[in-house]
Amino acid sequence: AKLKTLGANINDKNAKIKELERQIAKLSENIDENQKVYERQERVFKETSAKQDSLNKQLESLQQELIDTILRDMAIVMMLNSKEPLSEDSIISEEVLRHLSENAKKDIEKIILQQQSIKNDLNVAKIRANNAKKIITAQINKREILKSAKKEQQNLANKMNSELKAY
């Protein structure tokens, strides 16, 4: 009965070892796939980061353009608010200034949208690379845990085999 029990336990341990080996192989495949995803995302992030200097310069120039546009708009509004005697030239000038003010406001909106787009592109690339890295790290940790469980199961199976031989 003892031999039969030991044999069944050994078979059970061997089945667990095979299952752990299967899980480890599957995890290794997932890690390889995720490693490729991570490398792609990391490449995109590095390209974006490489562009970051130029993007930051773009942001700075957009901010300067925004400031200039706001100042120009303020000057236009101040000119519109000044009360001059109505003449044909002043009416035409007023209309031109109103048109310039409207254009300045549209430019301001456009610049703000461009700034947000650039910042979003940088954030998205960074988040994707970080997520891929986290997945890989978690899977590598899980693989190590499974390897250690497999080793433990093998040690138990070896111990049982030696007990079986002793009996």
Side-chain angles (χ1 to χ4, degrees), residues 111-163:
I111 291 168
I112 290 171
L113 288 175
Q114 286 175 331
Q115 287 177 327
Q116 290 172 343
S117 174
I118 291 170
K119 288 177 183 177
N120 288 341
D121 289 347
L122 285 171
N123 287 337
V124 166
K126 191 174 190 175
I127 288 169
R128 285 182 179 166
N130 287 340
N131 285 343
K133 195 171 194 171
K134 285 178 188 175
I135 290 170
I136 291 168
T137 304
Q139 288 179 336
I140 288 172
N141 290 340
K142 188 174 179 182
R143 180 176 61 184
E144 293 306 314
I145 290 169
L146 288 174
K147 282 183 178 179
S148 123
K150 176 186 167 189
K151 188 173 184 178
E152 187 179 316
Q153 292 295 321
Q154 285 175 328
N155 289 340
L156 285 172
N158 290 340
K159 184 178 173 186
M160 287 180 180
N161 274 328
S162 63
E163 281 184 44

Side-chain angles (χ1 to χ4, degrees), residues 38-107:
Y38 169 73
E39 288 169 2
R40 279 194 305 270
Q41 294 301 332
E42 187 68 18
R43 207 173 316 118
V44 168
F45 177 67
K46 284 180 181 175
E47 289 170 4
T48 308
S49 293
K51 292 178 187 175
Q52 189 171 11
D53 288 336
S54 69
L55 292 175
N56 284 334
K57 288 177 185 172
Q58 257 185 312
L59 277 175
E60 286 175 18
S61 69
L62 287 174
Q63 288 170 347
Q64 188 58 48
E65 188 179 334
L66 180 63
I67 291 169
D68 293 344
T69 307
I70 290 172
L71 290 174
R72 188 176 62 224
D73 187 44
M74 286 174 55
I76 292 169
V77 169
M78 287 171 52
M79 290 168 67
L80 284 173
N81 289 337
S82 69
K83 301 294 179 194
E84 296 177 10
L86 291 177
S87 70
E88 195 175 297
D89 286 340
S90 69
I91 293 173
I92 292 173
S93 295
E94 191 173 319
E95 284 305 311
V96 168
L97 291 174
R98 282 178 210 250
H99 182 70
L100 287 174
S101 178
E102 289 173 15
N103 284 342
K105 288 175 185 167
K106 288 178 185 175
D107 288 345

